Amino acid sequence: QKEVEQDPGPLSVPEGAIVSLNCTYSNSAFQYFMWYRQYSRKGPELLMYTYSSGNKEDGRFTAQVDKSSKYISLFIRDSQPSDSATYLCAFDYKLSFGAGTTVTVRA
Amino acid sequence: EAQVTQNPRYLITVTGKKLTVTCSQNMNHEYMSWYRQDPGLGLRQIYYSMNVEVTDKGDVPEGYKVSRKEKRNFPLILESPSPNQTSLYFCASSRGPRYEQYFGPGTRLTVT
C-alpha cells in the first residue's frame, strides 16, 4: 500500500463549479497537511496548510482534514479558468507528496 | 526577491556522461531537498539536507549524489546518468520539512 494515495484525474469542470480533491494516507505520524498547486512548466507553490482535524478556509479554498479516517480534501468554490493546474497533497515528517490531480476549468 | 534557482533548465545528455544540476537559494533556509517528478508517480524525494554537511537519502536516491558545503547551495550530481533518470527535477528549500517548501523552476533532463 502506498503511503499517500491521490486520484490522478484528470478532472474537467465548467467555470463556477465546485472542485473536490482528495488524498488518503496510511502514516499516522503525519501531523501537518498541505496542498500545493502546480501550474504547467512551473514548480509547485503552497496553497493551503493545516495541522489539525477540521476545516480551514481561505477565500474560495477550503482544506478539510479527518485524521481518524486518514483522509484530507481540498474544495475550490466558484472555480475559475485560472484554477486550472495540478494539485498535490503533501504531508510532513518525510514530506511525502501525492501524485497530483490535474484540474481543468472550462470557461 | 526570495527565490530558488536551478541550472540548467533543460539538459539533453548521453548515458554515462557525468552531470551536475545546481541549486541555490537566497532565503537562508536550512532545509533543502531534491525531487524528481514523473507522470503518474508525482513528486518523489531524492535527497534532502537539514543543514550544511548534513545530507540524507530520500525515497529514490539510487544513481544520485548531493553535497551541502554551503548553506545556499545544494547541487545534484549524476555520476553515470542512465535513461531511467530522464525526468523533471525540482530543488526546494524551507525552514524545515514541516514548513512551506519553496520550489525552483525545474530542470528537464533527458538521457539518451
Side-chain angles (χ1 to χ4, degrees):
Chain A
Q1 181 191 8
K2 284 186 181 179
E3 195 169 52
V4 177
E5 298 271 6
Q6 181 176 9
D7 185 343
L11 199 58
S12 179
V13 301
E15 185 174 356
I18 294 175
V19 176
S20 173
L21 305 168
N22 310 297
C23 283
T24 59
Y25 63 97
S26 59
N27 191 336
S28 57
F30 290 153
Q31 296 181 346
Y32 295 80
F33 310 91
M34 294 154 271
W35 286 95
Y36 281 78
R37 178 174 60 194
Q38 184 178 18
Y39 289 115
S40 181
R41 298 190 180 87
K42 300 281 189 184
E45 295 176 314
L46 183 67
L47 185 62
M48 297 285 283
Y49 183 109
T50 58
Y51 55 86
S52 60
S53 283
N55 293 352
K56 180 179 180 179
E57 200 170 302
D58 184 1
R60 297 183 295 109
F61 298 90
T62 299
Q64 194 173 76
V65 175
D66 183 346
K67 284 188 178 180
S68 61
S69 300
K70 296 191 181 67
Y71 187 91
I72 69 171
S73 300
L74 177 71
F75 300 97
I76 308 173
R77 291 184 301 281
D78 187 25
S79 56
Q80 305 293 310
S82 59
D83 295 326
S84 297
T86 297
Y87 292 82
L88 303 105
C89 55
F91 303 82
D92 76 307
Y93 179 54
K94 282 175 56 179
L95 199 53
S96 301
F97 281 85
T101 301
T102 299
V103 175
T104 301
V105 181
R106 307 184 307 271
Chain B
E1 180 192 353
Q3 61 182 351
V4 178
T5 56
Q6 294 178 229
N7 282 293
R9 295 290 312 279
Y10 301 91
L11 179 59
I12 299 174
T13 189
V14 296
T15 299
K17 186 176 181 181
K18 181 180 178 180
L19 66 91
T20 299
V21 183
T22 64
C23 172
S24 182
Q25 51 96 3
N26 62 1
M27 294 169 277
N28 201 37
H29 286 158
E30 293 185 346
Y31 185 89
M32 296 185 74
S33 54
W34 276 102
Y35 294 87
R36 59 178 290 173
Q37 188 173 38
D38 302 287
L41 297 176
L43 278 168
R44 293 180 293 168
Q45 192 179 59
I46 303 170
Y47 268 95
Y48 65 94
S49 170
M50 298 293 284
N51 213 326
V52 175
E53 301 292 1
V54 180
T55 62
D56 208 347
K57 296 177 181 179
D59 294 321
V60 288
E62 294 77 22
Y64 304 94
K65 282 177 58 176
V66 293
S67 68
R68 187 91 182 274
K69 292 183 171 50
E70 307 166 279
K71 199 172 189 178
R72 63 183 293 128
N73 296 323
F74 190 45
L76 179 69
I77 302 156
L78 285 73
E79 296 261 353
S80 183
S82 62
N84 64 13
Q85 293 178 297
T86 292
S87 187
L88 180 58
Y89 291 87
F90 287 101
C91 178
S93 77
S94 73
R95 289 190 288 158
R98 291 180 170 180
Y99 295 88
E100 177 178 1
Q101 303 294 309
Y102 292 84
F103 285 85
T107 296
R108 185 164 293 281
L109 171 65
T110 301
V111 183
T112 61

